[in-house]
Amino acid sequence: MTDLVQYSKDNDVAVITINNPPVNALSPGVPEGIAEAVERIEKDPSVKAAVLIGGGRTFIAGADIKEFVKLTSGGRRGDIGIAQYLLTIENSRKPIVVAIHGNALGGGLEVAQACHYRVASPDAKVGQPEVNLGIIPGAGGTQRLPRLAGIAKAIEMCTVGKPIKAAEALECGIVDRVIEGDLLAGAIAFAREVAGKPAPKTRERNEKLGTPEQNALIFAAARETVRKKQRGLPAPLVAIDAIEAATKLPFEKGCEEEKRLFYQCLYSDQSKALIHVFFAEREVSKIPDIPKEPQIIPVNSVAIVGAGTMGGGIAMVCANAGIPVVIKDTDQGALDRGLATIQKNYATSVKRGRFTQEYVDQRMKMIKTTLSYDDFAGADMVIEAAFEGMALKKEIFAELDRACKRGAILSSNTSTLNIDEIAATTSRPEAVIGMHFFSPANVMRLLEIVRGKASGKDVIATCMQLSKKLGKVGVLVGNCRGFVGNRMFLPYIREAQFLVEEGAAPEAVDKAFVDFGMAMGPLAVGDLGGLDIAYRIRKEFRHTEKPGARQPFVEDRMVEMGRLGQKSGSGWYKYDADRRATPDPEIAALVCKWTADANVPQRQISAEEIVDRGIYTLVNEGARILEEGYALRAGDIDTIYVNGYGFPAYRGGPMWYADSVGLKKVYERVSEFHKQHGMLWEPAPLLKKLAESGKAFADFQRESAHATD
Ligand code: 3HC
């Protein structure tokens, strides 16, 4: 038996423990070890039943995803080889009871389905999240789950991929008993109850498989929902095909069909991209110059400066994570308005069933307000979310320096300003860092953590760890204008404007990006955020542009005539009272006139060119950021774009996408645009270098820490 699986006995019950930290993934050796243990109990007459349990913090979190990468990159041959071992478990004549705590996900739930009984602790979760990796269950999950939970539930779990809690798993038949208290003791007692009885095989249970008539309706409705809600993703539809096979074919044939479909998905570009996103999101927390077990500053209370949209959203994020907050603003009216907005947002969540009223009442009790910095004295961390403006931020940080205790983290939610300049107004620049939340802060997962020149390693490590507690994906970035996300986004938005000025209709530009997979088109994003805000930023930073560089002008004129986007009822689109957008003939006429006056030649522009120009501006700027050291890895940039900018995860993020197109091709296209459109398209040196040496962004790894301005 391998070290990965341990065998012990509690009198007449064998206990098989999986020991593959941190998440007991089904790495090579684990399924084999379980099967060997099962063969051993078959041979031992003193054993009447067995319990299978996970050691450490969880049951099995799934197949080992690293093995998938080895398979698809040619580093390993054969197949994932889990299914055959599950048959060994299921064929055991002595009942095997699986005891689930933590998570039973993907292959983990498939192992559980092959056992004869399933018990779980109350906080356990079970799920088939494979679609999030662009694949479907591949070890019998699409064949056994419908037999346990019914067709509709199996479809929901395999297409949406969201795990369900133990109580729900009990209700739908996946779990046989929820055990309060000691799980192992409860599972052993359960095993004794069923010892000596025939061990029921899930694969032989057909009572929940439904009739062809019922199923036809369920499958049709499910396919329609998936097409609407999971645009651009084939895996959920394939999962439905595999579950349909369970209703039409004998178990063995159904498994063969599942296997065929599983490998079809695994070798797809989408799956490779989604697996990259999975690992990139975990890689971001690894900072080369920060020790693996860093010093962490306990954050048990947070103070927030500013009760506006961002401050209020951040307060909700902290309260939701169980951290009490105090919000400061300059007058009572601002505080009252801020609290009212928080209350309204929570009320919407209650109405939508996301939170209970009791939960919200508890959260509201954690949010206090004040007009004085003196109430910040005990705070472990401050998050400043006042208006954007260096003079104001400097004033605030000087106050914070006076009012806050030594050791407190002083952070700013600035999206554009220089963290080092802010830090310099304090006597403790090592305590200062950027915490750039994205709006709405209580919804968006991304958090850019901006490292200043002096930011302490303990401060950085604490913020990275805190981001997880807050339910965010924290990505450490260097201190440059716009940091990583907005620095790339500005040229992308600008390119969309150029495309309109050259003859593309605004709705054609947005449609091309939405068809590519972006959550929204760039012009619609501008309308949502307010064109006046982008206008102000453009004016403020125009002096920093290269002399002679092309500037878009149409959007400036729109703002000057009061077209500010959704809030004024018109921008790139016309908006009705419910803020529904329609193309606006007036804007088409204005663009036509203004571009004629400015002698901008007009032409037909293909969707392909629109996408290339938008996405390759992101890539070109991303390459500069990477080379200059403002992002640690290409995967960090991808994580930022997938979590904060609506970039389709199934394309892996802009840098992964460029790698998958091939950097030689991307470089050639960028060079073409450079010739056609001038200096803004000058290829980034790193893009050129990697393209010429046949390498990819994924090959580029910086050893040094982040650059700062
Ligand atoms: N395979 C390989 N490594 C895995 C893994 C898996 N299935 N699941 C997690 N890990 C690794 C992570 O990469 C991370 O490694 P690192 O420390 O080197 O960065 C470590 O385990 C801890 O993971 P997290 O940081 O994500 O830990 P959390 O506690 O935040 O979350 C979790 C735990 C909820 C289990 C989360 O890791 C998760 O969602 N994992 C993936 C679950 C999944 O998708 N399972 C299905 C796999 S596909 C499959 O099973 C196919 C089958 O049908 C054949």
Side-chain angles (χ1 to χ4, degrees), residues 100-101 120-123 178-187:
I100 303 168
H101 73 297
S121 55
D123 57 356
V178 171
I179 292 183
E180 305 278 348
D182 188 330
L183 178 65
L184 178 60

Side-chain angles (χ1 to χ4, degrees), residues 202-397:
T202 305
R203 66 171 189 260
E204 289 172 359
R205 291 173 57 175
N206 294 332
E207 70 274 11
K208 286 196 177 174
L209 287 183
T211 64
E213 296 74 31
Q214 289 164 340
N215 291 342
L217 293 175
I218 297 175
F219 286 121
R223 287 188 171 105
E224 203 183 312
T225 309
V226 164
R227 281 195 191 101
K228 254 194 234 145
K229 293 198 175 161
Q230 291 168 288
R231 188 170 58 92
L233 297 176
L237 286 171
V238 178
I240 298 176
D241 293 345
I243 294 170
E244 191 167 26
T247 66
K248 294 190 167 158
L249 301 173
F251 178 79
E252 291 71 19
K253 292 277 172 220
C255 285
E256 278 170 26
E257 181 61 359
E258 178 194 83
K259 187 172 173 183
R260 186 183 71 79
L261 295 171
F262 172 83
Y263 282 104
Q264 177 189 305
C265 291
L266 184 66
Y267 283 87
S268 68
D269 288 342
Q270 279 211 354
S271 172
K272 288 176 196 161
L274 286 163
I275 288 177
H276 158 71
V277 167
F278 175 84
F279 284 119
E281 231 178 88
R282 278 144 187 93
E283 186 85 8
V284 289
S285 58
K286 296 172 183 117
I287 317 293
D289 66 330
I290 293 201
K292 261 197 166 159
E293 286 182 15
Q295 231 184 331
I296 297 292
I297 302 163
V299 177
N300 297 315
S301 61
V302 166
I304 295 171
V305 184
T309 316
M310 278 320 276
I314 296 168
M316 291 173 75
V317 170
C318 293
N320 292 346
I323 304 174
V325 292
V326 54
I327 313 177
K328 180 195 173 292
D329 214 313
T330 43
D331 66 86
Q332 193 57 43
L335 288 176
D336 293 344
R337 280 191 301 278
L339 263 192
T341 306
I342 293 173
Q343 243 147 0
K344 200 174 112 211
N345 289 342
Y346 271 134
T348 309
S349 299
V350 172
K351 218 162 53 201
R352 292 193 182 147
R354 195 169 156 235
F355 296 143
T356 63
Q357 189 56 48
E358 190 194 353
Y359 174 90
V360 167
D361 293 343
Q362 284 166 355
R363 304 302 124 179
M364 287 306 295
K365 277 194 200 129
M366 284 186 204
I367 303 175
K368 304 266 183 287
T369 57
T370 181
L371 291 169
S372 164
Y373 282 115
D374 292 345
D375 289 322
F376 280 21
D380 296 321
M381 176 169 191
V382 179
I383 304 173
E384 169 276 312
F387 291 111
E388 200 72 337
M390 186 52 94
L392 176 63
K393 305 259 175 196
K394 282 183 173 172
E395 244 173 64
I396 292 171
F397 273 76

